[in-house]
């Protein structure tokens, strides 16, 4: 039977699932993402009118030909994703196929289930041109910034790859946090707590004469005075109050990214990749199954149908008292929420984590369990607690501790963070208790924490910078450009990142200003809402941007920073950081010594001074390897040169290329084995002896 209608989706996996559901009347094909965009090798925007010049993305010609052939003479439904980008993809395909822009040829799927898909194809709508215009404005804004500023960066700072609009604001935030940490001065303070005689019971110092004292304001003198004076305390009061802990909202894109990072250790890009496949569907022993609803959303709305299904499950499994209130909270993220969207939730709550574990691999299961638990808990009742605060006094000094007793677990039946119930100490008011011990712990205030992917996403969302669906791209771009390093979970700005951020701050202050970036996001939201014309937004932006760009282009910019690192040759001057043919390097103006350095090393740029001394000293300690030089027996130290990493002997100057030295010698000839990189970017191990042919993908183990 020949199909009567053609549905065009983005993903081949989604196409396969939907075609199975709809049957022979529909032919479902994939565009494999974007098929048309601004040109790769030229600007592609007429600045007098902001008209874009779109062209087929190189390599997508065969996909376009296939779509044209399949759509010829048939009714076409455009079913790309339901965000701005998906709407723009539908618009591009409609343009290529010559479809009526006012015709009802657009469908969206909030979830890949038979009921939703069949209902959606029966109720198509017109392409949302306001949403398309918002995406066009964003794309052209990013093209203006990228194509205008990036060449200036390439010219001035070798190694600087790009200056994206939102990425630059995110870089500024990370660099500012590093400066805060660098300037931070630790303050000494003391933690004081009392332990009662014959009671496994502690109370912390609270205040003096009924006035609370902040812990960081407790100095050594006060700590010693309390330890000297307090030998016993009187239980002055027990304050009881009942508290309620509300269930968390279900996940939206940003909160899923944060929780997956914190709880599972997933990067933002990994979370989105796994969530995409859970949404599109996965081949399981029980067939192709879609597990979650659409994962790019900033709405916590829950459909009535999904809510009722979840209430039925909760009542069956836990009892009616665990069902949450029907007047569910709604959260607005930023200035505008995509109210057509739902939260991220399981397609069917009856596919419990226990069932899913048999159908999914480890990572897909872990993310699905996280989503399932959060959603079901969000529809459950509050947890209830009885809190007892014990107030102890000795003269003017007051100590307090609070013990919570859970009266009803509610949503914590699923999302419980309590390890065990605290015991009631059975103490009496106005009774005096001897002190077994006073614990005095010296501590210091801590600098602000570096950003992790999770905390950066939280900050970007709070500041209104970018959209949740773009956070993965922002972070991966900063990492791939080497503007930021990832150490364990921390995002650490590099020397190159600081230099780029400083250049952009001086020459294009609006680009890195978080308030300005947030304002642009607000204006794009107004375009999507039909409240503002997209060309008007571009015109307002370009008037100011062009002034900065003209000034930056015509002014002579010399990169010359002072550093905190002394010249080893003359010891009379500190090195300056300069830019040369091959990138950043160190130069002593007194004796003329030049010194190469790794521009992807961590650093701090503050008040036009580069602070790298401590990093270089630490690196030198780490770079000394146990392997002895094969010529003289001296230490081999790792360095970075024009063509990558190599090792140099401190004693005789012998060099050998490689990123690492194997812990054991070559199993064939006994020479050193180093880790190298193939032309395709894959690491391998090879003997340094030119007459030995030992090579391996794995480090030798001496066996």
């Amino acid at each position: 039977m020949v199909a009567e209608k053609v549905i065009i989706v983005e993903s081949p996996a989604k196409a396969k699932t939907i075609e199975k559901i709809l049957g022979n009347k529909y032919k479902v094909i994939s565009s494999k993402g974007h098929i048309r965009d601004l040109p790769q090798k030229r600007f592609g925007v007429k600045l007098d009118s902001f008209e874009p010049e779109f062209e087929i993305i190189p390599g997508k010609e065969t996909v376009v030909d296939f779509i044209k052939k399949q759509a010829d003479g048939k009714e076409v439904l455009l079913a790309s994703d339901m965000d701005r980008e998906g709407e723009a993809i539908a618009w591009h395909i409609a343009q290529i196929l010559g479809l009526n822009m006012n015709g009802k040829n657009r469908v969206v799927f909030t979830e890949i289930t038979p009921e939703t898909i069949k209902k959606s194809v029966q109720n198509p709508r017109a392409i949302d041109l306001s949403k398309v215009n918002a995406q066009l404005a964003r794309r052209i804004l990013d093209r203006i910034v990228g194509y205008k500023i990036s060449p200036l960066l390439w010219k001035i700072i070798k190694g600087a790859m790009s200056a994206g609009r939102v990425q630059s604001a995110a870089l500024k935030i990370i660099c500012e946090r590093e400066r805060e940490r660098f300037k931070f001065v630790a303050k000494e303070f003391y933690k004081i707590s009392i332990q009662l005689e014959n009671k496994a019971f502690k109370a912390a110092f609270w205040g003096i004469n009924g006035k609370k004292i902040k812990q960081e304001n407790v100095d050594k003198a006060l700590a010693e005075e309390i330890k000297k004076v307090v030998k016993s305390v009187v239980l002055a009061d027990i304050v009881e109050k009942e508290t309620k802990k509300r269930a968390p909202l279900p996940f939206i894109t940003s909160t899923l990214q944060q929780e997956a990072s914190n709880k599972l250790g997933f990067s933002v890009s990994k979370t989105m990749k796994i969530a995409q496949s859970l949404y599109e569907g996965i081949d399981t022993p029980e067939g192709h199954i879609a597990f979650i609803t659409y994962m790019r959303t900033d709405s916590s709305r829950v459909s009535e149908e999904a809510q009722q299904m979840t209430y039925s499950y909760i009542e069956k499994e836990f009892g009616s008292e665990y069902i949450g209130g029907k007047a569910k909270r709604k959260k607005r993220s930023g200035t505008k929420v995509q109210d057509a969207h739902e939260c991220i939730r399981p397609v069917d709550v009856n596919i419990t984590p226990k069932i899913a574990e048999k159908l999914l691999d480890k990572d897909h299961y872990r993310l699905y369990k996280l989503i399932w638990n959060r959603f079901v808990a969000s529809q459950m009742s509050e947890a209830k607690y009885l809190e007892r605060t014990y107030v102890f006094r000795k003269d003017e000094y007051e100590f307090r501790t609070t013990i919570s007793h859970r009266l009803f677990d509610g949503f914590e039946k699923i999302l419980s963070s309590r390890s065990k119930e605290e015991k009631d100490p059975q103490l009496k008011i106005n009774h005096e208790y001897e002190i077994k011990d006073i614990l005095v712990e010296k501590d210091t205030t801590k600098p602000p924490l570096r950003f992790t992917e999770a905390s950066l996403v939280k900050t970007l969302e709070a500041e209104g910078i970018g959209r949740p669906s773009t956070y993965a791209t922002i972070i991966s771009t900063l990492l791939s450009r080497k503007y930021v390093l990832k150490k364990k979970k921390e995002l650490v700005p590099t020397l190159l990142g600081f230099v780029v951020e400083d250049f952009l701050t001086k020459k294009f202050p609006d680009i890195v200003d978080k308030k300005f970036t947030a304002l642009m996001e607000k204006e794009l939201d107004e375009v999507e809402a039909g409240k503002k014309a997209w060309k008007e937004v571009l015109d307002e932006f370009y008037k100011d941007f062009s002034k900065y760009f003209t000034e930056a282009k015509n002014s002579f910019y010399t990169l010359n920073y002072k550093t905190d690192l002394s010249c080893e040759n003359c010891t009379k001057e500190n090195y300056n950081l300069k830019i040369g043919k091959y990138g950043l390097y160190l130069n002593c103006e007194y004796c003329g010594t030049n010194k190469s350095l790794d521009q992807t090393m961590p650093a701090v740029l503050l008040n036009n001074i580069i602070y790298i001394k401590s990093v270089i000293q630490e690196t030198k300690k780490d770079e000394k390897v146990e392997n002895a030089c094969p010529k003289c027996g001296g230490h081999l130290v790792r360095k970075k040169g024009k063509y990558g990493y190599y090792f140099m002997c401190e004693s005789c100057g012998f060099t050998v290329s490689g990123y690492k030295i194997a812990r054991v010698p070559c199993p064939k000839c006994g020479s050193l084995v180093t880790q190298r990189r193939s032309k395709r970017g894959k690491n391998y191990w090879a003997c340094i002896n030119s007459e030995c042919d030992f090579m391996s993908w794995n480090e030798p183990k001496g066996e």
Side-chain angles (χ1 to χ4, degrees), residues 409-614:
D409 53 4
F411 75 91
E412 289 185 341
K413 193 85 171 176
I414 289 176
L415 289 184
S416 180
S417 56
R418 292 172 68 89
S419 54
K420 60 181 181 180
E421 190 73 19
E422 296 173 280
K423 292 182 180 179
D424 191 328
Q426 300 294 320
L427 301 177
K428 297 178 181 178
I429 293 177
N430 296 324
H431 189 82
E432 186 171 1
Y433 294 93
E434 293 295 316
I435 301 297
K436 179 182 179 183
D437 194 12
I438 293 186
L439 305 173
V440 178
E441 299 176 72
K442 180 180 172 182
D443 204 346
T444 56
T445 53
K446 302 295 187 293
L449 294 173
R450 285 193 178 109
F451 286 107
T452 62
E453 289 197 18
S455 61
L456 181 61
V457 164
K458 186 175 182 179
T459 300
L460 292 174
E461 184 187 26
E463 297 286 356
I465 297 172
R467 295 180 73 83
S469 58
T470 67
Y471 295 156
T473 304
I474 291 168
I475 293 170
S476 62
T477 300
L478 290 174
L479 291 170
S480 65
R481 297 288 188 256
K482 304 296 183 185
Y483 296 165
V484 172
L485 295 175
K486 195 172 179 182
K487 288 194 169 185
K488 295 183 179 177
K489 284 189 174 185
E490 294 182 330
L491 298 175
V492 184
T494 64
L495 175 60
L496 177 62
F498 265 111
V499 171
V500 169
E501 181 263 349
D502 189 56
F503 170 78
L504 293 172
T505 299
K506 288 173 179 174
K507 296 296 181 181
F508 300 93
D510 282 351
I511 296 300
V512 292
D513 182 68
K514 57 188 181 184
K515 289 183 179 178
F516 176 80
T517 309
L519 178 63
M520 292 306 303
E521 293 297 336
K522 183 179 179 182
E523 293 200 337
L524 290 173
D525 287 341
E526 289 179 351
V527 172
E528 182 176 342
K531 296 178 181 178
K532 202 160 190 176
W534 65 284
K535 289 188 178 181
E536 181 186 340
V537 171
L538 290 171
D539 187 55
E540 290 173 359
F541 168 80
Y542 192 67
K543 280 178 183 176
D544 290 331
F545 175 81
S546 59
K547 294 176 188 175
Y548 289 123
F549 178 72
T550 302
E551 184 182 335
K553 187 178 178 182
N554 295 332
S555 62
F556 184 74
Y557 185 83
T558 303
L559 189 150
N560 191 353
Y561 300 104
K562 287 287 184 183
T563 77
D564 65 336
L565 186 67
S566 297
C567 173
E568 297 98 327
N569 283 354
C570 67
T571 66
K572 293 183 179 181
E573 286 284 342
N574 281 5
Y575 281 115
N576 284 1
L577 182 73
K578 294 189 175 182
I579 187 76
K581 184 179 179 182
Y582 301 111
L584 301 171
Y585 70 97
L586 298 173
N587 168 258
C588 175
E589 291 186 345
Y590 185 82
C591 69
T593 300
N594 292 331
K595 182 182 176 71
S596 64
L597 82 166
D598 181 1
Q599 59 187 23
T600 64
M601 65 189 290
V604 176
L605 172 53
L606 181 64
N607 299 328
N608 230 42
I609 300 174
I610 298 282
Y611 294 91
I612 51 174
K613 183 178 178 179
S614 61

Side-chain angles (χ1 to χ4, degrees), residues 191-196 201-210 218 222-223 225-237 389-402 435 437-440:
K191 298 177 183 177
I192 308 170
S193 59
I194 57 172
Q195 185 173 359
L196 302 189
F201 187 79
K202 289 182 182 179
F205 173 65
W206 183 85
I208 299 175
N209 292 324
V218 179
L222 178 58
E225 176 67 19
I226 291 172
K227 191 166 186 176
K228 180 182 176 182
V229 170
V230 179
K231 304 298 181 184
S232 64
V233 289
V234 173
L235 178 59
D237 200 2
T389 299
Y390 294 81
V391 181
F392 299 92
R393 293 196 182 102
K394 175 62 176 180
D395 299 334
E396 71 267 35
Y397 303 118
E398 190 169 307
F399 301 82
R400 292 188 180 190
T401 190
T402 299
I435 301 297
D437 194 12
I438 293 186
L439 305 173
V440 178

